Amino acid sequence: MPVWIGDVETVLLHVVRRFHYEVEEIAKVDLAGWRPLKGLRRDLAESNLASGSAVQIRPGAGAKGSLFPLQVATVRDILADCQGVVRWGGDDKPADESLFYISVGPQDGRLTKVAATIRGWDATPGEGAGVIAVR
């Protein structure tokens, strides 16, 4: 999945992993990252794909209502993990439920903090994406 390396990559990969494990299995053909600006609508959030700060899961299937309510609730939980640094295109107008993008600037300390948290989860057995919560 071609995206901007570093903190952006860490956060977006976390979103994709959690989506894959908890919302719906993602086939390789159902995942898109960087795309050239030509062909993207510059006035919409999809233009973030051209900067490498966005991903699409099941591109083209992102109209409002493409996910079931429980799937939407899980997406909201994934977004909560990201503490406001990731925006979901399902909340945009027009909605694109396939799109997830970094919603803060590259120098925003929140991005660094969230990426560090995710890296900590990834390095700790029993933490991070794909872990089944035991309550």
Side-chain angles (χ1 to χ4, degrees):
M1 168 185 77
V3 294
W4 194 263
I5 61 172
D7 293 341
V8 168
E9 177 183 33
T10 298
V11 174
L12 290 178
L13 185 57
H14 176 75
V15 170
V16 169
R17 283 181 179 154
R18 282 208 53 201
F19 192 100
H20 176 78
Y21 292 132
E22 300 175 45
V23 176
E24 184 174 285
E25 187 174 324
I26 304 169
K28 186 176 181 178
V29 298
D30 290 333
L31 187 61
W34 178 87
R35 289 178 35 201
L37 189 55
K38 183 178 181 179
L40 296 174
R41 295 172 288 183
R42 295 174 188 224
D43 58 330
L44 296 179
E46 72 179 31
S47 65
N48 286 297
L49 290 163
S51 69
S53 62
V55 294
Q56 283 183 308
I57 300 171
R58 298 180 312 145
K64 195 78 166 167
S66 67
L67 298 174
F68 293 108
L70 186 55
Q71 291 174 310
V72 171
T74 304
V75 165
R76 299 248 178 255
D77 189 53
I78 294 168
L79 295 172
D81 264 4
C82 299
Q83 303 174 29
V85 304
V86 173
R87 183 163 171 87
W88 177 44
D91 291 328
D92 293 341
K93 291 191 189 319
D96 180 354
E97 291 185 347
S98 72
L99 184 68
F100 295 85
Y101 58 96
I102 301 296
S103 61
V104 298
Q107 302 301 318
D108 192 307
R110 293 175 293 171
L111 177 60
T112 303
K113 180 182 173 197
V114 170
T117 298
I118 292 168
R119 286 186 191 104
W121 292 337
D122 290 346
T124 306
E127 298 287 333
V131 173
I132 298 172
V134 178
R135 300 190 197 276

